[in-house]
């Protein structure tokens, strides 16, 4: 039952992913959720850590693309200043947004990874689409009202998923 919600990896934060780790796993691009994954939902400008991480990805030639259920207006507020491409209204856990992202990047499913903080949207859509996924801890503990519902449901799913996959633990990288 929990296989649909089981990530490939669990890493504490997206900022811990390095170009070397991604390249070692044949990952050519990062698809990322926006709120509480790439940045805190209530901090649209991001942090120095975000900017440094994006610069490292850019220098390594690893594209980062936002794939979010948010509106284009909401995502553009973040993406445009960071010069990041995005897919809005991705309808995760459906696969439309991930398909659109891989098409825009002109990459195969094997070349990308989806990073997100929710099992019921980010990981489930990745598994539905057939790509690898990285579950990260939410950057902050508060959520928008609609995400609070998912978090409540997700608690039981996560507990069962971890019981079924004791090898999955929070890591600081893809390597350990």
């Amino acid at each position: 039952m929990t296989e649909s919600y089981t990530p490939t990896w669990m890493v504490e934060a997206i900022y811990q992913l390095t170009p070397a780790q991604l390249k070692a796993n044949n990952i050519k691009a990062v698809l990322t959720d926006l709120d509480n994954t790439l940045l805190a939902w209530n901090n649209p400008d991001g942090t120095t850590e975000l900017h440094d991480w994006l610069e490292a990805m850019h220098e390594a030639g690893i594209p980062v693309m936002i794939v979010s259920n948010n509106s284009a207006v909401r995502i553009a507020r973040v993406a445009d200043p960071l010069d990041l491409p995005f897919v809005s209204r991705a309808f995760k856990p459906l696969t439309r947004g991930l398909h659109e992202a891989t098409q825009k990047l002109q990459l195969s499913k094997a070349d990308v990874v989806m990073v997100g903080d929710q099992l019921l949207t980010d990981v489930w859509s990745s598994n539905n689409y057939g790509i690898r996924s990285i579950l990260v801890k939410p950057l902050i503990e508060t959520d928008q009202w609609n995400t609070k519902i998912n978090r409540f449901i997700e608690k039981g799913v996560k507990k069962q998923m971890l019981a079924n996959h004791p090898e999955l633990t929070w890591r600081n990288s893809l390597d350990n």
Side-chain angles (χ1 to χ4, degrees):
M1 175 189 136
T2 61
E3 294 311 304
S4 295
Y5 310 104
T6 303
T8 310
W9 296 281
M10 292 176 23
V11 176
E12 301 224 0
I14 194 170
Y15 310 135
Q16 293 172 317
L17 300 173
T18 66
Q21 292 168 32
L22 297 171
K23 288 180 180 182
N25 285 281
N26 299 313
I27 296 168
K28 296 178 182 172
V30 174
L31 308 179
T32 180
D33 182 45
L34 179 61
D35 293 325
N36 274 347
T37 298
L38 193 61
L39 49 74
W41 69 270
N42 59 0
N43 180 7
D45 299 320
T47 61
T48 302
E49 191 174 24
L50 166 67
H51 293 272
D52 292 346
W53 182 79
L54 288 172
E55 181 61 29
M57 293 298 124
H58 177 74
E59 287 175 4
I62 299 173
V64 174
M65 179 180 280
I66 299 169
V67 180
S68 173
N69 289 345
N70 279 300
S71 70
V73 171
R74 164 75 177 104
I75 301 168
R77 166 68 177 87
V78 173
D80 290 350
L82 297 173
D83 197 29
L84 291 178
F86 65 87
V87 173
S88 63
R89 298 286 185 222
F91 298 110
K92 296 177 290 183
L94 302 178
T95 61
R96 183 196 70 78
L98 297 175
H99 177 75
E100 184 178 333
T102 55
Q103 293 297 303
K104 283 183 177 182
L105 291 169
Q106 298 181 336
L107 292 171
S108 73
K109 293 177 184 181
D111 295 330
V112 300
V113 68
M114 176 68 199
V115 182
D117 66 312
Q118 292 187 68
L119 293 175
L120 299 181
T121 54
D122 307 308
V123 173
W124 193 9
S125 65
S126 301
N127 289 336
N128 285 339
Y129 190 54
I131 64 173
R132 293 173 286 177
S133 60
I134 301 171
L135 179 68
V136 295
K137 291 181 178 179
L139 290 174
I140 59 174
E141 292 192 25
T142 62
D143 286 303
Q144 293 175 303
W145 70 269
N146 54 337
T147 304
K148 289 180 183 181
I149 297 166
N150 272 0
R151 296 266 188 231
F152 177 76
I153 298 167
E154 191 173 87
K155 282 182 185 180
V157 173
K158 185 183 278 183
K159 182 178 179 180
Q160 185 64 45
M161 183 270 297
L162 291 172
N164 291 343
H165 294 278
E167 75 280 4
L168 282 174
T169 59
W170 290 111
R171 302 170 173 204
N172 293 320
S173 76
L174 300 182
D175 300 330
N176 60 9

